[in-house]
Amino acid sequence: MNAIISASELADALRSERPPVLLDVRWQLSTAAASGQPFDGRAAYASGHIPGAVFVDLDRELASAPGPRGRHPLPDLDVFGAAMRRAGVSAGMPVVAYDGGIGWAAARAWWLLRWTGHPDVRVLDGGLPAWDGPLETETSAPAEGDFVPKPTEGAVLDADGAAALARSGVLLDARAGERYRGEVEPIDPVGGHIPGALSAPTSDNVDADGRFRPAAELRARFGELGVTRDVPVGVYCGSGVSAAHEVLALEVAGIPAALYVGSWSEWTSDQERPVAVGPDPQ
């Protein structure tokens, strides 16, 4: 099953006898919009969303509170499960997640559902900007779902696992190149990267319209970094959100990958952990 769905495919699916559950996961990394006011995903949802979609709060339902484990640690499974059931998610129903277009937040929802055992989850390629169908402003209230999250083994890395994978396999850093090199660091206390990690910005996963590049192009892109199906692969970013987008891109390319959820925000919370700077992985 493809991990992404086009807007036209979604429109067809919504007209089918088995329409997918829709999750609206609009979120922004920056807390301030151009107006100077904090971005409000719930307000964006209220102003217009794909009919039937339910708003999901990334900071409160797809992550725990910030702390030593990073800015977006794994959510409490009871909280996450309740949020998914409230949205109508059931184990036997397909799910489609979308966001405002960049794809990071929708990918976080996709990854969490896949990690906790849901078999049929996709991300709307290009997000809401790709949707040319009708929008509604009424709050959707679907029937309660029955999904119970059950984490799978091997999909999550901790700090020690990420460090080991950088030596034994391929660890990809999904942040912008200048943050990887340590030239700038707008959020975390230290710039640079995990020693041995390779720079692979999420911006290279998509085209100018924000849609994923074809699978063959993505395989070629990751292949240049030494990524194949025969090599263990992990991904991190600043806080485990944009890295989920990279895991999704790898899935599109046919390559499974683990996610270091704590990412750089957790790594740099311990001053004893080593930091590399510059273009050299080491």
Side-chain angles (χ1 to χ4, degrees), residues 5-269:
I5 184 172
S6 69
S8 61
E9 290 171 333
L10 176 58
D12 290 341
L14 290 173
R15 290 191 293 266
S16 73
E17 295 181 356
R18 191 167 171 261
V21 174
L22 287 176
L23 306 180
D24 184 311
V25 202
R26 273 178 278 183
W27 171 87
Q28 285 185 7
L29 176 62
S30 174
T31 58
S35 64
Q37 298 298 317
F39 177 78
D40 187 339
R42 194 175 298 275
Y45 168 85
S47 70
H49 52 270
I50 298 176
V54 174
F55 178 72
V56 176
D57 191 319
L58 186 149
D59 290 316
R60 293 176 175 82
E61 296 172 322
L62 305 184
S64 297
R69 294 185 299 132
R71 281 192 305 282
H72 292 103
L74 287 172
D76 179 281
L77 290 182
D78 289 340
V79 173
F80 173 65
M84 293 300 99
R85 291 188 293 274
R86 173 184 59 81
V89 175
S90 292
M93 291 295 294
V95 179
V96 173
Y98 71 88
D99 58 24
I102 196 169
W104 295 0
R108 172 78 174 212
W110 167 84
W111 180 84
L112 279 167
L113 281 165
R114 290 291 301 274
W115 171 60
T116 54
H118 199 289
D120 190 352
V121 190
R122 287 178 285 179
V123 167
L124 176 58
D125 196 15
L128 191 60
W131 176 257
D132 58 3
L135 299 177
E136 67 179 15
T137 57
E138 296 81 9
T139 298
S140 303
E144 183 89 357
D146 64 14
F147 178 70
V148 177
K150 297 178 181 178
T152 54
E153 297 291 333
V156 179
L157 295 171
D158 59 13
D160 291 340
L165 188 58
R167 298 188 297 269
S168 63
V170 177
L171 181 65
L172 301 177
D173 185 318
R175 299 171 301 159
E178 58 268 24
R179 291 184 68 192
Y180 170 88
R181 295 187 296 270
E183 297 166 358
V184 298
E185 182 44 64
I187 305 172
D188 294 307
V190 179
H193 57 270
I194 297 173
L198 304 177
S199 180
T202 55
S203 57
D204 291 342
N205 296 332
V206 297
D207 61 20
D209 294 326
R211 293 177 174 84
F212 280 97
R213 293 162 59 183
E217 289 186 17
L218 288 170
R219 280 194 295 273
R221 182 224 172 173
F222 293 121
E224 292 176 355
L225 295 167
V227 174
T228 70
R229 290 187 59 87
D230 300 323
V231 176
V233 182
V235 188
Y236 75 95
C237 59
S239 65
V241 177
S242 66
H245 187 274
E246 191 108 300
V247 173
L248 176 57
L250 286 156
E251 180 78 10
V252 172
I255 300 166
L259 177 65
Y260 174 25
V261 179
S263 285
W264 191 243
S265 56
E266 180 191 39
W267 185 268
T268 55
S269 69

